[in-house]
Amino acid sequence: MDDRVRIVAARLEEARRTGKKVPRLTDDVRPRDEREAALVRDAVMRLRKSRHVGWKVTLSPAGEVIASPILSDGLLTSPARISRLQPASLGIETELAFRMKRPFPVAGETITAQSTLD
């Protein structure tokens, strides 16, 4: 694994564990592109010994689809009790989740509004 990826992943995991903020990343370690950012994400998952249980999906300002996993060790279901919040995580993010009846999309399927609803 690239040292850049390892350094950033370790800093992020330490921040999660201790509640301390991550210092601004310098140009020599900051991920250079989406591929490196994904490598950092995967390294953090390994450090946390977590797996993905769902996906967060959004559009970037440029209209590109960005997806990131929802990790098993950070998932709370309703009703949930939070015993203590780390200082760096004094926020709650709400996600809408959907269970799909089948794999989506099926290979070669054209995605339409109706096929999405189905």
Side-chain angles (χ1 to χ4, degrees), residues 20-40:
K20 295 179 183 174
K21 291 187 177 186
V22 177
R24 184 170 178 83
L25 298 176
T26 57
D27 288 338
D28 60 322
V29 296
R30 183 180 299 123
R32 294 175 281 215
D33 53 32
E34 290 293 327
R35 184 192 67 77
E36 277 193 4
L39 290 172
V40 169

Side-chain angles (χ1 to χ4, degrees), residues 69-95:
I70 297 170
L71 302 182
S72 58
D73 66 344
L75 181 67
L76 301 174
T77 56
S78 181
R81 290 184 179 254
I82 302 171
S83 60
R84 135 188 112 116
L85 290 175
Q86 295 286 346
S89 61
L90 292 177
I92 296 175
E93 183 177 341
T94 304
E95 304 289 348

Side-chain angles (χ1 to χ4, degrees), residues 1-49:
M1 180 188 324
D2 186 296
D3 283 342
R4 297 160 52 84
V5 170
R6 191 179 353 264
I7 290 167
V8 175
R11 287 182 186 173
L12 290 171
E13 176 52 17
E14 180 182 4
R16 183 195 68 83
R17 192 174 28 78
T18 65
K20 295 179 183 174
K21 291 187 177 186
V22 177
R24 184 170 178 83
L25 298 176
T26 57
D27 288 338
D28 60 322
V29 296
R30 183 180 299 123
R32 294 175 281 215
D33 53 32
E34 290 293 327
R35 184 192 67 77
E36 277 193 4
L39 290 172
V40 169
R41 177 201 65 215
D42 294 345
V44 168
M45 285 176 63
R46 283 191 298 279
L47 288 171
R48 287 173 70 166
K49 296 182 173 87

Side-chain angles (χ1 to χ4, degrees), residues 55-118:
W55 292 93
K56 295 192 267 186
V57 182
T58 189
L59 288 175
S60 74
E64 298 171 301
V65 175
I66 299 172
S68 187
I70 297 170
L71 302 182
S72 58
D73 66 344
L75 181 67
L76 301 174
T77 56
S78 181
R81 290 184 179 254
I82 302 171
S83 60
R84 135 188 112 116
L85 290 175
Q86 295 286 346
S89 61
L90 292 177
I92 296 175
E93 183 177 341
T94 304
E95 304 289 348
L96 298 177
F98 299 91
R99 267 187 219 271
M100 307 301 274
K101 290 182 182 178
R102 62 181 176 84
F104 183 78
V106 174
E109 176 181 4
T110 300
I111 300 172
T112 64
Q114 189 58 51
S115 68
T116 302
L117 292 172
D118 291 344

